[in-house]
Amino acid sequence: ALSGLSGLSKGYLSRLESGDRQASIAAALTLARLFQVSLAQLFESEEPEPFAIVRRGGSVPMDANGLTVWPLSTGSAFQLQPMRVVVPPNREGNEHQSHEGEEWIYVLSGSLTLSLADEDHVLQAGDAAHFDSCLPHRLIARSGAKAEVLIVAAPPPAQTAPLPS
């Protein structure tokens, strides 16, 4: 049933459950939306706190779709999902991601191309972009150098339909 609702294959979901596969950001956001929880709640087992403080060096980076991602909030009581992301100059592949919700991106350093719904947008340090994340999108570093960005992802409001049991 989850495979049908999420669009993720049964094999992919099985590998996620067994720990043989890491979830992409898009897959994690999709699962969080379907379970009506924040992205942080997928990885927490404690009751949510009404606040979150992440100290310098307190976030553990993870690899997702060729990007290095540092979650910048651990508060599962929140819908906004901020993260620091490094886009390497040698990122492989050209897959675009799409998922429900919206994203806001701010370029801290370097420059990148935001490939968004068959259109390329060049973003420099200090530029920002805000878009519906249902549009296929991909970040590509430019000029042979890494780019560092802040991303805030927001899933759509929780749906009222219950999940199948």
Side-chain angles (χ1 to χ4, degrees), residues 14 31 41 44 51 58 81 87 106 115 123 130 134 142 150-151:
S14 175
L31 293 172
Q41 282 176 296
E44 290 181 350
F51 67 92
Q81 299 156 3
V87 183
Y106 179 80
S115 179
L123 302 175
H130 191 173
C134 287
R142 298 176 56 84
L150 290 178
I151 297 178

Coordinates of all heavy atoms in Angstrom, one line a residue, residues 14 31 41 44 51 58 81 87 106 115 123 130 134 142 150-151:
S14 N 11.8 -1.7 0.8 CA 12.4 -2.8 1.6 C 13.9 -2.5 1.9 O 14.3 -2.8 3.1 CB 12.3 -4.1 0.8 OG 12.9 -5.2 1.5
L31 N 7.8 10.4 2.2 CA 7.4 9.5 3.4 C 6.9 10.3 4.5 O 5.9 10.0 5.2 CB 8.5 8.6 3.8 CG 8.9 7.5 2.7 CD1 10.1 6.8 3.1 CD2 7.7 6.6 2.5
Q41 N 11.0 14.0 12.5 CA 10.3 12.9 13.2 C 10.6 11.5 12.6 O 10.5 10.6 13.4 CB 8.8 13.2 13.2 CG 8.3 14.2 14.2 CD 6.9 14.5 14.1 OE1 6.4 15.0 13.0 NE2 6.1 14.2 15.1
E44 N 13.6 10.5 14.7 CA 13.6 10.7 16.2 C 12.7 9.7 16.9 O 11.7 9.2 16.3 CB 13.0 12.1 16.6 CG 14.0 13.2 16.2 CD 13.4 14.6 16.6 OE1 12.2 14.6 17.0 OE2 14.1 15.5 16.5
F51 N 11.0 23.6 20.7 CA 12.1 24.4 20.2 C 13.3 23.5 19.7 O 13.3 22.4 20.1 CB 12.6 25.4 21.3 CG 13.3 24.7 22.4 CD1 14.6 24.5 22.4 CD2 12.5 24.2 23.5 CE1 15.3 23.9 23.4 CE2 13.2 23.6 24.5 CZ 14.5 23.4 24.5
G58 N 27.2 20.6 15.7 CA 26.3 19.6 16.4 C 25.5 18.9 15.4 O 24.7 18.0 15.8
Q81 N 11.9 22.6 7.3 CA 13.1 21.7 7.4 C 14.3 22.4 6.8 O 14.6 22.3 5.6 CB 12.7 20.4 6.6 CG 11.5 19.7 7.2 CD 10.8 18.8 6.3 OE1 11.2 18.6 5.2 NE2 9.7 18.2 6.8
V87 N 27.0 21.5 -2.7 CA 26.9 21.0 -4.0 C 28.3 20.8 -4.6 O 28.9 21.8 -4.9 CB 26.0 21.8 -5.0 CG1 25.8 21.2 -6.3 CG2 24.7 22.2 -4.3
Y106 N 19.0 29.7 -0.6 CA 19.9 30.9 -0.5 C 21.3 30.4 -0.7 O 21.8 29.5 0.0 CB 19.7 31.5 0.9 CG 20.6 32.8 1.0 CD1 20.2 34.0 0.5 CD2 21.8 32.7 1.7 CE1 20.9 35.1 0.6 CE2 22.6 33.8 1.8 CZ 22.2 35.0 1.3 OH 22.9 36.2 1.4
S115 N 18.3 24.0 -12.0 CA 17.6 23.5 -13.1 C 16.2 23.3 -12.6 O 15.9 22.4 -11.7 CB 18.2 22.2 -13.7 OG 17.4 21.7 -14.7
L123 N 22.4 31.1 -10.2 CA 22.4 31.8 -8.9 C 23.8 32.0 -8.4 O 24.6 31.1 -8.4 CB 21.6 31.0 -7.9 CG 20.1 30.6 -8.3 CD1 19.5 29.7 -7.2 CD2 19.3 31.9 -8.4
H130 N 12.8 30.6 -4.6 CA 11.6 30.0 -3.8 C 10.7 29.4 -4.9 O 10.3 30.1 -5.8 CB 10.9 31.1 -3.1 CG 9.9 30.6 -2.1 ND1 9.3 31.5 -1.2 CD2 9.4 29.4 -1.8 CE1 8.5 30.8 -0.4 NE2 8.5 29.5 -0.8
C134 N 7.1 20.6 -6.4 CA 6.5 19.6 -7.4 C 7.2 19.7 -8.7 O 7.1 18.8 -9.5 CB 5.0 19.8 -7.5 SG 4.0 19.3 -6.1
R142 N 28.7 25.4 -10.5 CA 29.2 26.0 -11.7 C 30.7 26.3 -11.5 O 31.2 26.4 -10.4 CB 28.5 27.3 -12.0 CG 27.0 27.1 -12.3 CD 26.3 28.5 -12.6 NE 26.9 29.3 -13.6 CZ 26.7 29.1 -14.9 NH1 25.8 28.2 -15.3 NH2 27.2 29.9 -15.8
L150 N 21.8 27.3 1.7 CA 20.9 27.0 2.8 C 19.6 26.7 2.0 O 19.2 27.4 1.1 CB 20.6 28.2 3.7 CG 21.7 28.7 4.6 CD1 21.3 29.9 5.4 CD2 22.1 27.5 5.5
I151 N 18.9 25.6 2.5 CA 17.6 25.2 1.9 C 16.7 25.1 3.0 O 17.0 24.5 4.1 CB 17.8 23.9 1.1 CG1 18.7 24.0 -0.1 CG2 16.4 23.4 0.7 CD1 18.9 22.7 -0.8

